[in-house]
Amino acid sequence: MMNVLSRVGGVRYLSGTASVMKSAHDKIILSQMAFFGRHGCNDAEVQLGQRFLVDLEIEADLDPAGKSDSVDDTISYDEVFNDVQELVEGPHRKLVETVAKDITLTIFEKYPIAKGVRVRIMKPNAPVPGQFLGLGVELYRTRH
């Protein structure tokens, strides 16, 4: 099929590309979200709290949103940020593994187009002797 170039507001667009393959690797990415929480097994972590850095990747088919240019066809960054903030700043969990699991479950429950979720939670100031940029966990889950 022949590709057709069109101009809209000085920008050239390529259309009529029926032979273009759909990507199975589309992602919504929220990187280095910073929150204050009270998660951990150590009494000081619970009483004093600490900063948590969260990276989140949500696999979804973003082609419909790319075609429609409508937020209704994608997953809103704002909503996801608020969901993650509520969980990280919410009730105490002993393990960041539990917080990460709660994030993945929330994404799958609220956003039906989500096919996979990768979440990384880092504690940049974990109460562990030594020098490090951060200690944490990463989970990757897919929808059944």
Side-chain angles (χ1 to χ4, degrees):
M1 174 171 266
M2 181 191 244
N3 297 331
V4 178
L5 285 175
S6 61
R7 281 193 188 271
V8 177
V11 178
R12 294 185 332 163
Y13 291 93
L14 187 61
S15 61
T17 55
S19 63
V20 173
M21 300 290 290
K22 262 182 138 172
S23 172
H25 302 289
D26 298 346
K27 295 178 185 176
I28 302 281
I29 301 170
L30 289 86
S31 180
Q32 295 293 295
M33 295 178 282
F35 306 106
F36 185 84
R38 299 180 184 277
H39 309 292
C41 298
N42 172 316
D43 286 343
E45 289 180 293
V46 177
Q47 291 171 1
L48 299 174
Q50 64 187 300
R51 196 167 72 126
F52 292 84
L53 300 177
V54 181
D55 293 327
L56 183 66
E57 294 181 3
I58 304 169
E59 295 175 350
D61 182 1
L62 302 180
D63 193 52
K67 289 178 179 173
S68 70
D69 197 28
S70 172
V71 72
D72 294 334
D73 292 329
T74 191
I75 297 172
S76 166
Y77 300 121
D78 292 347
E79 289 179 27
V80 172
F81 182 91
N82 291 333
D83 294 335
V84 174
Q85 182 175 30
E86 185 177 312
L87 292 166
V88 177
E89 294 182 351
H92 166 259
R93 301 289 194 201
K94 290 180 183 175
L95 303 175
V96 290
E97 289 88 332
T98 305
V99 179
K101 177 194 63 76
D102 291 345
I103 291 169
T104 61
L105 290 174
T106 297
I107 299 302
F108 285 131
E109 287 173 7
K110 289 187 74 174
Y111 307 102
I113 69 168
K115 296 177 183 175
V117 176
R118 181 180 311 277
V119 60
R120 174 183 294 157
I121 303 178
M122 301 299 292
K123 293 180 174 185
N125 303 101
V128 174
Q131 294 184 15
F132 50 83
L133 290 176
L135 305 175
V137 301
E138 180 176 286
L139 298 182
Y140 175 71
R141 301 290 183 264
T142 57
R143 189 181 294 278
H144 296 295

